[in-house]
Amino acid sequence: MTTLTEHQRVAIIMTLLAISIFLTYYFHAILMLGTVFSHFFYIPIILTALWWEKRSVPVAIFLGGLVVVSSLLYQPELLTLNDYGRALMFVVIAFVVASLSEQLKGREQEVKRQRDLMQRYLDVAGVLFAVIGTDHTIRLVNRHGCELLGYREEELLGKDWFDTLVPGALREARRRAFDEAIARKAALPGQREHPVVTRSGNELILAWQDTVLTGDDDRPTGIIGSGADITDRIRAEEGLRKAHDEANLYLDIMTHDINNANAVALGYADLLETTLGAGKEREMIRRLKAGVDRSIEIIQNVTTIRRLHSRETATKPVDLDAVARAEIAHHPGARIAYQGRSVGVMADDLLSEVFANLIGNSVKFGDPGVEIAIRVEESDDQVEVSIEDTGPGVPDAVKPTLFARFAPGKNSRSGKGLGLYITRTLIERYGGRVWVDDRVPGRPECGAAFRFTLPRSGRRQKPPAPPATSTACPLVTARP
């Protein structure tokens, strides 16, 4: 709707007043009628009141005076109370319409102020805001949205959202989803990816969320949505995913080839060991095998760390006794005492790595005759496992950092500390904790006691029936 300028309004009122004067003259002087066609006078009075409020009162007084004066000049004997009443009515109408106009303009200004305030809020937001009507047309879009899409505001308002901004392959599906949301008066919850096409033809991916707008009658009037540009993030994530997959491929190839090389090296070392007698050569073979074993351990640690970072934290009930027995069986030459106790804990398939690292640690750093004891203690909500050995122990100065990544070990034969770091990472992921004590309190030289806790599973497992020749709590011992 075209808005009249101030000059145009003044010209209209002056024209209407001139017509009023002419009609008064024409009816009294030419037609010699006692009645003036005064209903026409309400038009300039009402228009003046709508446009300039109280300024309509002087116009009403002028027109009322025009009626009275004209009657006095041309036919004074016909002047009646009705003429004075009509003049007074002009003034009353001017006051009433002016008052209503002031109230209406006040409300319009308040609505405009609130709308401008909302528009400023939307304009300073760092995301796209848009209101889409039930007819799919764009009713509102903020400044950032225009900049993001490459359009001016007037180029978007009134345009079909889907035809203008949604990629062709997704257009009909998005249109149906929009109509379904309007029909059920509820949009899909949460954020979702929402591709849009800019004016230049580039496709952007928005993190989109929206809600249905309703009017006073609770009928849907459209949808207001907001979208943050996540195109760069999505592309970066895709690049990282490809790089991660490529790195894993290289690691898989490397692990496979190194394990094959280690197996061949160990095979030839075993053959050499059987053909060589005691002496310097045999000691060299032993060191060669120790180096290959170290390589195997490194590969195993790398594989475990990959498995740690490639899965979400999701624990499940695990039979602690079965895991402990399986790892004891991997050390047939070690002196390991284990008081068997079947108990369920919350962990996952990597729990075996904890026992492998701690038992292997005791075997590696202990003397040939080192003795290892595994104990399990239960409480209402957790299980405590202790792996004690009669090895050289852990100095007090080393204990606080023993489980840190790449922390120095407890003696000159210590590795890079990855095994204990993996152990701590796993235990903490399960919701427990791990620490090291002296096997004999206050005497580190008498051996170490590695302890860790695990959440107990809700259902206690029934212990397996022992063999006929076993006691109720069999003692599992591996001897050379």
Side-chain angles (χ1 to χ4, degrees):
M1 182 177 179
T2 304
T3 302
L4 297 175
T5 65
E6 189 74 7
H7 291 297
Q8 290 173 332
R9 292 177 179 179
V10 171
I12 291 173
I13 295 301
M14 296 304 295
T15 301
L16 292 175
L17 290 177
I19 293 173
S20 300
I21 294 173
F22 171 76
L23 289 176
T24 302
Y25 170 77
Y26 181 76
F27 274 81
H28 279 171
I30 305 301
L31 299 180
M32 302 299 292
L33 296 176
T35 303
V36 178
F37 188 62
S38 57
H39 296 86
F40 179 81
F41 295 175
Y42 288 109
I43 298 177
I45 294 173
I46 293 175
L47 287 179
T48 306
L50 290 176
W51 290 339
W52 297 294
E53 295 89 30
K54 296 296 178 57
R55 293 182 183 179
S56 61
V57 175
V59 174
I61 293 174
F62 169 77
L63 293 175
L66 180 63
V67 171
V68 173
V69 170
S70 176
S71 297
L72 288 174
L73 290 176
Y74 292 102
Q75 292 185 354
E77 70 280 0
L78 297 178
L79 185 64
T80 65
L81 185 62
N82 184 55
D83 295 315
Y84 294 106
R86 184 176 295 108
L88 180 61
M89 184 59 64
F90 291 163
V91 177
V92 172
I93 290 296
F95 270 109
V96 171
V97 176
S99 177
L100 293 176
S101 179
E102 285 182 347
Q103 295 180 22
L104 181 61
K105 288 186 177 181
R107 292 182 182 180
E108 288 179 348
Q109 290 175 356
E110 178 63 21
V111 170
K112 184 178 182 300
R113 189 183 70 82
Q114 294 294 336
R115 184 183 61 208
D116 292 344
L117 182 63
M118 182 189 71
Q119 187 67 47
R120 284 198 295 270
Y121 288 156
L122 295 179
D123 286 341
V124 300
V127 297
L128 179 150
F129 276 99
V131 175
I132 309 168
T134 54
D135 57 354
H136 305 161
T137 59
I138 302 171
R139 304 289 180 82
L140 179 146
V141 61
N142 67 334
R143 183 170 56 199
H144 183 80
C146 294
E147 295 171 353
L148 189 67
L149 298 171
Y151 289 93
R152 297 192 305 273
E153 182 179 5
E154 57 270 20
E155 292 177 321
L156 289 175
L157 295 181
K159 297 293 182 62
D160 188 288
W161 170 271
F162 302 97
D163 291 340
T164 308
L165 300 174
V166 177
L170 304 174
R171 192 168 296 156
E172 292 307 316
R174 290 287 168 81
R175 201 189 302 270
R176 286 195 301 270
F178 179 93
D179 292 337
E180 290 172 1
I182 292 294
R184 64 173 178 265
K185 299 182 182 180
L188 293 176
Q191 286 189 348
R192 54 196 181 275
E193 293 183 8
H194 188 95
V196 295
V197 178
T198 67
R199 184 174 187 173
S200 60
N202 296 325
E203 185 170 308
L204 301 179
I205 301 176
L206 305 181
W208 184 264
Q209 57 184 14
D210 48 29
T211 186
V212 175
L213 297 175
T214 57
D216 295 337
D217 57 356
D218 200 37
R219 296 180 61 184
T221 59
I223 283 182
I224 180 171
S226 66
D229 184 10
I230 57 172
T231 308
D232 293 340
R233 191 191 79 187
I234 294 296
R235 290 173 180 169
E237 289 175 353
E238 290 177 354
L240 287 174
R241 189 158 44 247
K242 290 179 181 179
H244 180 266
D245 293 341
E246 186 175 359
N248 278 335
L249 175 61
Y250 294 149
L251 282 173
D252 288 338
I253 295 172
M254 182 184 71
T255 300
H256 179 268
D257 291 347
I258 291 176
N259 281 335
N260 287 341
N262 287 337
V264 173
L266 281 178
Y268 280 110
D270 289 338
L271 287 175
L272 285 174
E273 190 175 22
T274 59
T275 60
L276 295 175
K280 185 177 180 180
E281 292 81 2
R282 198 173 196 66
E283 176 62 20
M284 293 176 64
I285 294 298
R286 189 190 66 79
R287 292 184 179 181
L288 173 62
K289 292 176 66 176
V292 176
D293 288 338
R294 177 60 182 156
S295 175
I296 293 174
E297 180 185 351
I298 292 173
I299 293 298
Q300 179 63 32
N301 285 338
V302 170
T303 302
T304 301
I305 291 174
R306 285 180 60 199
R307 293 176 65 189
L308 273 172
H309 292 290
S310 64
R311 62 173 66 183
E312 297 180 355
T313 302
T315 59
K316 61 182 179 180
V318 175
D319 186 353
L320 180 69
D321 179 67
V323 175
R325 290 177 182 273
E327 290 305 318
I328 290 172
H330 291 162
H331 299 274
R335 300 169 61 85
I336 303 176
Y338 169 55
Q339 188 71 32
R341 177 175 299 178
S342 183
V343 60
V345 295
M346 297 303 295
D348 60 16
D349 297 337
L350 292 176
L351 179 59
S352 59
E353 296 293 331
V354 174
F355 284 93
N357 287 328
L358 296 181
I359 295 175
N361 194 71
S362 296
V363 171
K364 181 193 297 184
F365 301 116
D367 296 327
V370 67
E371 295 184 358
I372 303 171
I374 302 177
R375 312 181 195 280
V376 178
E377 297 181 5
E378 302 178 54
S379 63
D380 291 338
D381 57 354
Q382 70 178 14
V383 175
E384 181 178 310
V385 180
S386 299
I387 299 178
E388 305 173 358
D389 64 58
T390 58
V394 181
D396 291 339
V398 177
K399 290 174 182 174
T401 59
L402 187 63
F403 294 93
R405 189 174 183 180
F406 303 125
K410 56 186 180 179
N411 58 38
S412 59
R413 291 180 291 171
S414 297
K416 296 297 184 181
L418 279 178
L420 294 181
Y421 164 74
I422 291 172
T423 297
R424 187 198 71 183
T425 303
L426 285 169
I427 294 299
E428 290 179 351
R429 193 172 81 164
Y430 300 150
R433 66 185 187 95
V434 62
W435 68 98
V436 60
D437 285 335
D438 298 328
R439 186 178 66 86
V440 179
R443 299 185 62 185
E445 70 279 2
C446 292
F450 288 87
R451 311 186 198 279
F452 62 88
T453 61
L454 292 170
R456 185 172 178 174
S457 62
R459 182 178 179 183
R460 186 171 182 176
Q461 299 183 10
K462 183 179 180 181
T469 57
S470 301
T471 60
C473 296
L475 183 67
V476 179
T477 306
R479 302 281 184 189

